[in-house]
Amino acid sequence: MDERKILELANEAKRDLFSDFNLVLGAVAKENPGSPFTQASILSLLPDPNFAIWRRSVHSAFNLMENLLAYLWVEDRNGVHRDVLTRVLAVASRDENWRHPLGYSGILEFYLNALRRHDIDKDLWIQNALRLVANCCLPGRIAHTNRERTLMKHPFELLSRLLLSPDGTAQLAVKVIHSLCDDFEPAQVMVQQNYQLTITLLRSLQSCRLQATDMDQACEIMAYAVDKIDVSLLDGNKMRVLLDAPWKYKLSTENIGLLVKAVTTILKQEYAKRQLLEVKITRTYNVHYLMTFYLNTYSTEIQNALTTDSKDVSNAGQLAGDVMTMTASRIELVRTFAILARVDFDWDFCEGLDKMVEWVQAKEPQIRICANVFIGNLIYGRPGRIHELVHDPCFCRNLAQSLGSCDENEVLTSTLDLLNNLAADKVSRTYLTETSIIYALVKCSSNPAVNLLSRHRTFYHMRQILRGCLPLVYKFLEVTNPDPNVVELHEIPLDVVMMLFHKTQDATLRVEIGRTIAEMWRTIHGSVIARKIQAHARDHIKDLRAAQDPMDPLDYRLPARRMALAVRDGLMRHPKLTDPILMLIQHTNPSLKTEGWLVMAFMSLWKEGAQAVYDTLCTNGMLEMVQKVVQAPDVESKDRANARYTIVQLQEQFVSTRTW
């Protein structure tokens, strides 16, 4: 410190801190003539400053203050001078230059000892003493030393008691805890080990001892305080305090994020999950109201941030930081509610669900993942909820858009898992006929930005939703995307899949495509109107086209003739539709072989299909293999039975022109 700075500091000290202290000293000497303190001015201890004597002079002055404090605590019966001196020192602690002397002189330690006494009076000095401790521990050049001095006094038991005090004392206790712990791990560890402090802070929040202005610090404390807490100490009511706080204190987005982080930390422990699943919260509080409040709060905060003038360069960095903070908070929030979704709510909480549906198509990948998990948990094993959800056009549109445009593999995995839950039964799959889901899956499967593993899974889920659902198979075979604004796919799904089969070199992907085509044939021939469909398998194609019923092709009462025409159109467009099936027959996996022969049998029932099967078996050197399968000694073999059935159908089709 140079001479000029010393002079400025000394003059300021004489004018403020030491002049105020001198007044107290004079009053004490006047009222107590026998005291060791005389009217001798403290300013005499501070001669014109110079570099050599300044530190020693200040040290002497602060030692005198500490001695006076000890005297007043015994002799100042009405406490007037004690309160005034404490206020003077609290004001001085605002200046970082005085925090070090307050520490090394013993004044900080003196107040810590005084506060720890069980017989302390609830006077003004307590709040000023807390201000002094909080200021002395604020981050700064010497914060580490003062914090260590404070921790040696084990202050958190005391602060825990003060958190329930009235008249602003609890607010000051929060400030002390925050000052001690701010970016100081030893203090944070002590807080985590002091379960009672965390419980008391929750009680303080519950009883409104704190004000909205204290919540920045209280939320930060709570975020790390619960890290290692024994959750058996937290009943449903105490956990409810954390969920209740955003509504009660009108918290900022950042503070909501901190509290949600605390809730998420608690819910990582099995006991806490059981507390939720045993509906101790849901019985005492309206969870859907909380969810709606949280989500609406986020929407409002985000909108405010995004409408800030982006051309203001001075605010650009802050704006970006706010958006990142809000995003991180929203992620924690949805993770929490993904767990809450497992609670058996009533279904009538659609306010929160609407926002989750919106987040299925959110920009941030993690938000989409968490929304998918939440909705998946909510509907798992609950057919009634599934049926209501697949009737929601907004949800189906968002889900289709997410699938069709997704190139984030983790997001795609969670979206496919959600779709798997939705397509759990045939009724739900029939409802999905009216959506663009099948087009989204096809587009995703052919998206080169999606990795191969995710594309394999896409075909698996495509198979699941086609299974047993004739209207979806019809769309897959025949119908172009009716709403390209939802999913930008202009080709018929079967055409895209066959193009991908002939283009890809990935063996697993080719097998998945083959199995999807096989599922299509199995559904056609396993439906309740299979016989009616097959009745048109060999009609003249012109007659079949002329006989179409003028009804909606997406109607679940799909006419047999319309389905038959779709099959035959597909066969005519793709004379090599048998290629994926031939690959299954040639596979080393016995199950795939059986699946392939079954589909060959189905295809041979159709006029165009029989031609395709015949050409495939003859032009690929397959006749010897066919003979071997047909003549297999195992009469129980499904392959043998299906191969024989295929030959019979081919003979019926070509009895007049070909010899087998």
Side-chain angles (χ1 to χ4, degrees):
M1 185 181 297
D2 58 29
E3 296 283 339
R4 186 182 206 175
K5 181 64 178 175
I6 292 173
L7 182 60
E8 290 176 1
L9 190 59
N11 289 332
E12 182 181 329
K14 286 183 178 181
R15 184 178 66 251
D16 298 327
L17 170 62
F18 294 129
S19 60
D20 288 342
F21 177 65
N22 206 50
L23 292 174
V24 177
L25 186 65
V28 170
K30 184 176 180 180
E31 293 178 12
N32 302 275
S35 74
F37 306 98
T38 66
Q39 186 59 29
S41 173
I42 191 172
L43 300 181
S44 64
L45 296 172
L46 301 168
D48 290 338
N50 59 63
F51 190 79
I53 67 171
W54 172 251
R55 185 182 298 273
R56 186 170 64 253
S57 301
V58 169
H59 188 79
S60 300
F62 273 85
N63 281 341
L64 180 58
M65 291 186 207
E66 200 271 339
N67 292 334
L68 180 58
L69 277 173
Y71 176 81
L72 291 177
W73 238 258
V74 176
E75 302 297 337
D76 188 16
R77 293 174 182 171
N78 57 17
V80 174
H81 299 309
R82 176 194 63 191
D83 293 346
V84 172
L85 181 56
T86 303
R87 179 184 58 79
V88 169
L89 292 171
V91 171
S93 67
R94 297 176 186 171
D95 188 333
E96 188 176 358
N97 292 298
W98 300 129
R99 292 172 191 164
H100 187 43
L102 285 168
Y104 69 63
S105 66
I107 292 175
L108 174 61
E109 185 177 353
F110 179 89
Y111 278 113
L112 289 169
N113 289 331
L115 287 167
R116 291 184 66 214
R117 294 172 188 154
H118 294 288
D119 58 345
I120 55 176
D121 299 320
K122 299 187 181 304
D123 288 328
L124 291 177
W125 75 269
I126 295 176
Q127 293 193 6
N128 282 319
L130 289 170
R131 290 187 180 96
L132 182 146
V133 175
N135 291 337
C136 285
C137 295
L138 284 171
R141 295 191 309 272
I142 48 82
H144 186 78
T145 305
N146 279 346
R147 285 170 169 177
E148 286 186 336
R149 288 190 179 104
T150 304
L151 291 183
M152 288 178 65
K153 296 295 181 180
H154 302 284
F156 293 116
E157 182 180 348
L158 159 72
L159 294 169
S160 179
R161 288 191 290 114
L162 294 178
L163 282 171
L164 296 176
S165 300
D167 304 324
T169 302
Q171 298 167 250
L172 289 166
V174 168
K175 293 184 187 301
V176 174
I177 298 168
H178 185 267
S179 294
L180 270 169
C181 296
D182 188 13
D183 199 25
F184 190 55
E185 187 175 356
Q188 292 181 11
V189 170
M190 289 182 70
V191 168
Q192 291 167 356
Q193 293 171 343
N194 193 316
Y195 301 155
Q196 192 56 46
L197 184 142
T198 306
I199 300 300
T200 308
L201 180 57
L202 286 170
R203 290 173 61 194
S204 186
L205 287 169
Q206 188 176 26
S207 58
C208 296
R209 304 283 179 172
L210 305 180
Q211 302 298 319
T213 52
D214 307 311
M215 294 309 296
D216 285 354
Q217 296 174 338
C219 291
E220 281 191 44
I221 294 167
M222 191 60 68
Y224 54 75
V226 299
D227 192 51
K228 294 182 176 62
I229 192 169
D230 179 359
V231 292
S232 64
L233 302 173
L234 296 173
D235 57 25
N237 288 330
K238 291 188 178 66
M239 290 183 66
R240 171 183 163 186
V241 172
L242 291 175
L243 296 173
D244 209 2
W247 165 72
K248 184 177 289 186
Y249 292 98
K250 296 181 172 59
L251 296 183
S252 68
T253 299
E254 184 175 2
N255 287 337
I256 292 176
L258 289 168
L259 282 193
V260 169
K261 181 180 178 182
V263 172
T264 307
T265 300
I266 292 170
L267 292 177
K268 288 177 182 177
Q269 301 192 44
E270 287 301 320
Y271 178 87
K273 290 178 185 177
R274 287 198 300 274
Q275 288 286 308
L276 286 175
L277 297 176
E278 289 169 4
V279 296
K280 290 187 177 179
I281 290 181
T282 52
R283 285 179 179 173
T284 57
Y285 204 75
N286 193 336
V287 177
H288 84 260
Y289 174 81
L290 279 171
M291 182 186 295
T292 305
F293 176 81
Y294 274 138
L295 300 176
N296 289 343
T297 299
Y298 275 107
S299 298
T300 302
E301 293 284 347
I302 290 165
Q303 188 60 38
N304 290 343
L306 295 180
T307 53
T308 304
D309 188 0
S310 58
K311 296 179 181 179
D312 186 350
V313 178
S314 62
N315 289 332
Q318 180 65 38
L319 178 60
D322 287 347
V323 172
M324 288 181 65
T325 298
M326 287 183 285
T327 299
S329 299
R330 294 194 337 182
I331 290 170
E332 293 293 341
L333 174 65
V334 188
R335 283 177 179 161
T336 300
F337 283 118
I339 297 172
L340 287 178
R342 297 172 188 166
V343 181
D344 192 14
F345 298 122
D346 291 333
W347 183 235
D348 299 327
F349 73 127
C350 290
E351 298 95 333
L353 183 64
D354 287 346
K355 185 59 67 173
M356 291 294 177
V357 165
E358 182 181 318
W359 281 359
V360 166
Q361 184 58 0
K363 290 182 179 180
E364 300 88 351
Q366 287 297 321
I367 295 294
R368 292 166 74 177
I369 291 172
C370 293
N372 289 335
V373 171
F374 171 83
I375 297 174
N377 286 344
L378 188 67
I379 65 175
Y380 182 73
R382 297 162 180 169
R385 297 183 180 183
I386 294 173
H387 297 166
E388 290 195 36
L389 194 59
V390 294
H391 271 108
D392 181 347
C394 180
F395 168 74
C396 292
R397 183 173 61 252
N398 286 352
L399 185 63
Q401 286 178 334
S402 179
L403 274 172
S405 61
C406 182
D407 53 12
E408 295 273 352
N409 294 301
E410 290 184 358
V411 177
L412 180 57
T413 296
S414 68
T415 309
L416 290 172
D417 288 343
L418 172 57
L419 179 60
N420 195 47
N421 283 344
L422 289 170
D425 61 81
K426 185 177 176 180
V427 175
S428 301
R429 293 196 291 276
T430 302
Y431 291 153
L432 289 174
T433 304
E434 301 175 13
T435 73
S436 297
I437 293 295
I438 190 68
Y439 303 104
L441 284 168
V442 170
K443 183 176 181 184
C444 179
S445 69
S446 58
N447 183 356
V450 176
N451 68 22
L452 280 172
L453 181 60
S454 295
R455 294 166 82 180
H456 298 163
R457 294 191 76 237
T458 301
F459 273 104
Y460 167 80
H461 289 284
M462 198 184 303
R463 272 201 317 280
Q464 299 309 305
I465 70 166
L466 287 175
R467 179 170 296 162
C469 186
L470 201 60
L472 268 178
V473 169
Y474 177 81
K475 293 183 75 170
F476 184 77
L477 274 169
E478 183 77 354
V479 183
T480 55
N481 184 10
D483 193 354
N485 292 325
V486 176
V487 179
E488 192 175 350
L489 184 76
H490 302 285
E491 299 89 352
I492 292 174
L494 177 64
D495 299 354
V496 178
V497 169
M498 287 302 298
M499 188 184 307
L500 179 61
F501 177 82
H502 290 112
K503 182 179 178 181
T504 185
Q505 299 300 313
D506 181 68
T508 304
L509 186 58
R510 289 167 65 86
V511 168
E512 291 297 328
I513 293 173
R515 297 191 68 188
T516 301
I517 300 296
E519 189 59 58
M520 174 191 81
W521 283 106
R522 190 160 33 227
T523 295
I524 293 169
H525 288 273
S527 68
V528 293
I529 61 170
R531 290 186 178 277
K532 293 181 179 180
I533 295 173
Q534 292 167 22
H536 303 288
R538 299 175 187 177
D539 289 352
H540 196 285
I541 195 73
K542 289 184 179 179
D543 295 338
L544 191 56
R545 289 189 195 282
Q548 290 308 300
D549 298 327
M551 64 186 301
D552 184 356
L554 303 185
D555 195 295
Y556 70 94
R557 297 166 298 175
L558 191 68
R561 282 190 297 244
R562 189 179 298 277
M563 189 69 229
L565 181 60
V567 172
R568 296 179 67 177
D569 279 344
L571 287 166
M572 286 188 289
R573 285 199 317 274
H574 298 286
K576 291 188 177 296
L577 190 60
T578 51
D579 285 359
I581 309 306
L582 177 62
M583 180 202 57
L584 295 181
I585 289 174
Q586 294 175 316
H587 204 279
T588 56
N589 186 315
S591 297
L592 294 181
K593 282 180 179 291
T594 301
E595 195 168 6
W597 279 115
L598 176 64
V599 174
M600 282 292 191
F602 287 152
M603 291 182 71
S604 62
L605 288 168
W606 299 80
K607 183 177 181 180
E608 295 79 7
Q611 182 68 60
V613 170
Y614 177 85
D615 292 343
T616 296
L617 296 181
C618 288
T619 59
N620 290 277
M622 294 289 294
L623 291 178
E624 185 178 343
M625 187 194 73
V626 173
Q627 185 177 15
K628 184 177 179 181
V629 174
V630 169
Q631 296 176 352
D634 183 5
V635 295
E636 300 295 328
S637 169
K638 292 183 179 179
D639 293 358
R640 178 178 182 266
N642 289 327
R644 287 192 169 205
Y645 185 81
T646 301
I647 299 304
V648 170
Q649 295 303 317
L650 292 177
Q651 287 177 329
E652 288 184 7
Q653 287 280 3
F654 306 120
V655 65
S656 61
T657 58
R658 293 178 174 81
T659 303
W660 280 75

